[in-house]
Amino acid sequence: MPDIVTIDRLGHQGDGTASLGEKQIFVPFTLEGEKVLLSGLPGRGNHREVAEIVEPSPDRISPICPHFGDCGGCQLQHFSHEPYLAWKRALLVSELEREGMDVDVAGPVSFPAASRRRAVLTAIHTSGGTQLGFQERGSHEVIDIETCPVMTGELQAALPAVRSLAGAFVPPTAKGKPGSVRVTMLSCDNGIDIAFAHGGKVTARDLKTAARHPASKHFLRISLNGEVLHARQRPILTAGIARVSPPPEAFAQAVAGAEQAMADLVCEHLSPCKRTADLFAGFGTFALRLAQNSMVDAYEFDAPALAALDRAWRETGGALKTITHERRDLFRRPVMASELKKIDGAVFDPPRAGAEAQARELAMSKVRKVAAVSCNPQTLARDLRILIEGGYKLVSVTTIDQFAFTPHLETVALLER
């Protein structure tokens, strides 16, 4: 007899949870309160697939993408906007409560669907030609895409050219395993930067391909494995009054509006400070804006990112206050409290692992104002607890829905002593 279950809630990854006998199962593409008929096919671990939505939720809507359900990129296009935002906000609230914090959480601030200016795809060769797309849900197969409604219009329009050029860089099959190339697209102020990466070496043939391929004219710069093969112009992103040229494959905020919203919160909070520290600075998303009002000490492990930051600062011709920079692994060697004696404001924006070691040093410092930026509610809650125990109080917490239709959430938390 087919199994019919009622979805209890949505889990942290966006799958519905339900009880099947004494077992908890996860059912993708379902919503709280729905009755669903489960497929008889075996799932992965405790995951099951849906055969039919027997009683749909009033919050269910039609997905906007023809690849929804197959592509592993968007999990929640079936969820209407306001309830989706409320669920996403609750992800952070639950983590803060777990750490003993009962605070008001604003947002999420959201943006139009077609706002993603940065996308990472995969290209492979098949008997039918070059496939370009995202990984299939639950597998390593590539879903070939013709459109992606979360990308900016500029990136979507470039997909045919990307597919054509990517095909020239896919390595041959080796030991029975098809070759593939990772493709990073970044829509900049003046056009599209494209970076390819695979496990092989850069050859003279690659240089010729980048220079002569008909599709190359569509891109500002073409790189392979971090090496620039061909460039018509430097790609440019604006950060306040500065113009920064990011290194190939550099981390950049995926939505320009989200970056500006985060920067506005950080800069306003730290505006009274005379000297600030930008921890995990990247290529200067915050540092270049903060330097309009204060001296900045920037710390970052990625050397090309720091070089881009320094160049952007110098090219402002003295319009910004001094930015010093240091290459430093803040996970292994955080900036110590004793080194922060002259700092009265700080911002940190770490990877998903958070900034535990750095938060402990800040907690022992006399830095007056701190802005904590995070893409992971769990590690943010932990880091905030460390700061609060060190004598800080939370001023505000704002969530930002940079990655629409996914469980990923950006947060800016502002603290002061």
Side-chain angles (χ1 to χ4, degrees):
M1 182 176 178
D3 292 316
I4 296 179
V5 297
T6 300
I7 303 302
D8 302 319
R9 62 184 181 86
L10 293 192
H12 278 66
Q13 296 303 311
D15 292 338
T17 68
S19 297
L20 184 61
E22 296 183 356
K23 182 179 179 183
Q24 184 184 60
I25 60 171
F26 294 90
V27 189
F29 313 123
T30 58
L31 297 174
E32 182 176 340
E34 291 187 327
K35 281 190 176 181
V36 300
L37 175 67
L38 301 178
S39 166
L41 298 174
R44 296 176 293 108
N46 55 352
H47 285 71
R48 294 288 298 273
E49 298 294 319
V50 172
E52 180 186 349
I53 304 292
V54 178
E55 292 183 11
S57 164
D59 296 330
R60 177 172 287 276
I61 59 173
S62 298
I64 62 174
C65 179
H67 305 292
F68 178 72
D70 297 323
C71 173
C74 296
Q75 302 98 311
L76 293 157
Q77 287 188 11
H78 61 298
F79 202 176
S80 60
H81 189 62
E82 292 303 324
Y84 155 77
L85 292 180
W87 169 78
K88 209 160 189 178
R89 175 183 174 278
L91 294 177
L92 177 64
V93 170
S94 66
E95 295 299 335
L96 295 176
E97 289 177 346
R98 195 189 310 274
E99 292 288 347
M101 287 173 272
D102 181 13
V103 297
D104 289 332
V105 175
V109 180
S110 63
F111 308 91
S115 297
R116 196 83 60 84
R117 66 177 179 182
R118 186 177 189 269
V120 182
L121 303 92
T122 300
I124 60 172
H125 283 320
T126 69
S127 57
T130 301
Q131 285 192 344
L132 175 73
F134 300 102
Q135 283 191 344
E136 183 179 18
R137 182 174 63 91
S139 84
H140 295 293
E141 299 297 319
V142 174
I143 294 291
D144 196 37
I145 64 168
E146 298 292 338
T147 184
C148 177
V150 301
M151 291 184 190
T152 64
E154 182 181 38
L155 290 188
Q156 290 194 68
L159 286 174
V162 175
R163 187 189 313 277
S164 176
L165 185 58
F169 291 105
V170 175
T173 297
K175 297 181 180 180
K177 184 178 179 180
S180 66
V181 63
R182 185 175 72 245
V183 185
T184 302
M185 305 167 63
L186 178 62
S187 180
C188 299
D189 295 355
N190 54 336
I192 298 174
D193 180 39
I194 189 163
F196 300 103
H198 58 54
K201 295 182 178 180
V202 178
T203 66
R205 175 186 171 276
D206 294 324
L207 291 166
K208 290 180 181 178
T209 297
R212 299 176 183 177
H213 197 285
S216 296
K217 64 184 179 182
H218 294 279
F219 307 106
L220 298 170
R221 181 179 67 184
I222 302 167
S223 60
L224 175 62
N225 295 347
E227 181 177 332
V228 175
L229 304 181
H230 179 68
R232 294 189 297 108
Q233 297 179 45
R234 289 168 53 201
I236 296 295
L237 294 174
T238 300
I241 65 171
R243 290 161 54 83
V244 61
S245 182
E249 288 195 284
F251 171 79
Q253 297 294 347
V255 174
E259 176 183 298
Q260 190 60 53
M262 289 186 281
D264 288 346
L265 288 165
V266 169
C267 290
E268 181 178 359
H269 184 58
L270 300 182
S271 61
C273 302
K274 297 186 181 305
R275 186 166 182 174
T276 56
D278 186 355
L279 307 160
F280 305 94
F283 54 69
T285 299
F286 297 118
L288 291 166
R289 290 174 165 96
L290 288 168
Q292 292 181 229
N293 291 309
S294 74
M295 294 185 293
V296 179
D297 297 340
Y299 298 87
E300 168 61 43
F301 185 67
D302 186 83
L306 277 181
L309 186 164
D310 186 60
R311 180 176 182 174
W313 171 65
R314 293 179 185 280
E315 288 181 345
T316 62
L320 295 178
K321 297 194 175 186
T322 301
I323 300 178
T324 62
H325 63 274
E326 180 181 335
R327 184 171 184 249
R328 191 152 169 174
D329 185 343
L330 296 175
F331 293 109
R332 296 184 178 182
R333 196 164 67 92
V335 181
M336 308 297 285
S338 58
E339 298 175 88
L340 294 167
K341 287 181 179 178
K342 296 182 179 179
I343 300 296
D344 53 353
V347 55
F348 62 85
D349 183 13
R352 290 189 62 78
E356 182 175 7
Q358 188 59 71
R360 293 193 184 282
E361 293 300 325
L362 283 167
M364 292 186 290
S365 76
K366 297 187 183 300
V367 175
R368 291 191 301 112
K369 289 177 173 284
V370 172
V373 182
S374 174
C375 60
N376 185 337
Q378 290 181 314
T379 56
L380 174 65
R382 177 202 65 202
D383 296 344
L384 291 179
R385 168 51 53 199
I386 292 169
L387 292 169
I388 290 169
E389 289 177 349
Y392 287 93
K393 67 175 181 179
L394 272 172
V395 176
S396 68
V397 179
T398 304
T399 51
I400 295 171
D401 184 25
Q402 176 161 225
F403 295 93
F405 311 121
T406 78
H408 300 298
L409 184 67
E410 298 282 347
T411 305
V412 178
L414 306 178
L415 306 96
E416 60 185 24
R417 283 212 172 273

